[in-house]
């Protein structure tokens, strides 16, 4: 192909809900073991114009089958929204997971996360989850809105948190 051109991968006809792309894996006399892929899924979001989503597939885990849309790990929707763990992202970046923790990290362990969201022991929060954390915003559905303080040891758990300032849902401030 020439300059400003494409190499096309696909089929001559594709209906809404169908997909095609490039599978990765090793080749045998069958189509098994193609565990990863980059695919285009036709959705026709706004009109019958072959619009669609791009998916990065990886899986299935522990099997001999080839990856399908059920194995999508990252999706780029027609409107540019990106989903990790979802094929229908509703925001510019949507991360969906089965665990209750999301971290933006500069290290490889939870205590190195400068920004951390978590659900633990009835509390939902966002803050810095490390031994030197200065602020965390948590809620327990009844009373607590914001909690500023520090951990009393290097063990990151609620029992070791020393509050210096609390703002409650009723407007009371505790120092």
């Amino acid at each position: 192909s020439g300059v400003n051109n494409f190499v096309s991968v696909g089929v001559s006809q594709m209906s809404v809900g169908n997909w095609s792309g490039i599978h990765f894996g090793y080749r045998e006399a069958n189509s098994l073991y193609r565990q990863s892929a980059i695919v285009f899924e036709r959705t026709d979001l706004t009109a019958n114009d072959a619009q669609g989503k791009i998916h990065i597939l990886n899986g299935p885990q522990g099997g001999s089958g080839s990856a399908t849309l059920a194995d999508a790990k990252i999706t780029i929707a027609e409107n540019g929204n990106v989903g990790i763990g979802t094929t229908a992202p509703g925001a510019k970046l949507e991360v969906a997971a089965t665990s209750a923790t999301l971290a933006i990290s500069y290290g490889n362990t939870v205590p190195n996360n400068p920004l951390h969201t978590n659900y633990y022991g009835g509390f939902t929060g966002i803050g810095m989850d490390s031994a030197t954390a200065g602020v965390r915003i948590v809620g327990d559905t009844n009373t607590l809105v914001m909690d500023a303080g520090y951990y009393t040891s290097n063990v990151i758990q609620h029992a070791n948190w020393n509050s210096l300032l609390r703002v409650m849902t009723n407007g009371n401030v505790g120092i």
Side-chain angles (χ1 to χ4, degrees):
S1 66
V3 176
N4 298 328
N5 205 342
F6 298 95
V7 174
S8 293
V9 174
V11 295
S12 60
Q13 301 250 337
M14 183 173 12
S15 299
V16 171
N18 291 333
W19 55 274
S20 69
I22 304 169
H23 266 114
F24 301 97
Y26 68 87
R27 184 178 176 150
E28 296 181 334
N30 60 49
S31 62
L32 301 178
Y33 302 107
R34 295 183 181 134
Q35 301 284 326
S36 297
I38 300 172
V39 300
F40 167 81
E41 175 194 12
R42 184 172 177 180
T43 62
D44 288 355
L45 179 67
T46 59
N48 189 19
D49 56 5
Q51 282 186 310
K53 299 177 183 180
I54 299 295
H55 303 281
I56 297 176
L57 315 178
N58 196 17
Q61 302 298 318
S64 61
S66 294
T68 68
L69 282 185
D71 300 304
K73 305 302 185 220
I74 299 174
T75 296
I76 303 172
E78 306 87 345
N79 60 3
N81 289 354
V82 175
I84 299 173
T86 178
T87 58
K92 287 296 175 191
L93 176 61
E94 180 177 342
V95 179
T98 55
S99 76
T101 301
L102 167 67
I104 298 173
S105 179
Y106 65 86
N108 59 4
T109 61
V110 171
N112 290 327
N113 295 323
L115 177 62
H116 188 81
T117 65
N118 196 7
Y119 177 81
Y120 176 79
F123 293 88
T124 301
I126 184 170
M128 297 166 46
D129 199 4
S130 72
T132 58
V135 176
R136 66 181 185 173
I137 301 170
V138 297
D140 65 2
T141 70
N142 295 318
T143 59
L144 189 58
V145 175
M146 190 202 67
D147 189 4
Y150 63 94
Y151 287 103
T152 59
S153 79
N154 287 332
V155 179
I156 310 305
Q157 62 184 10
H158 293 288
N160 294 336
W161 182 258
N162 186 25
S163 290
L164 299 176
L165 172 72
R166 283 190 170 183
V167 179
M168 310 305 273
T169 56
N170 64 6
N172 290 349
V173 176
I175 298 176

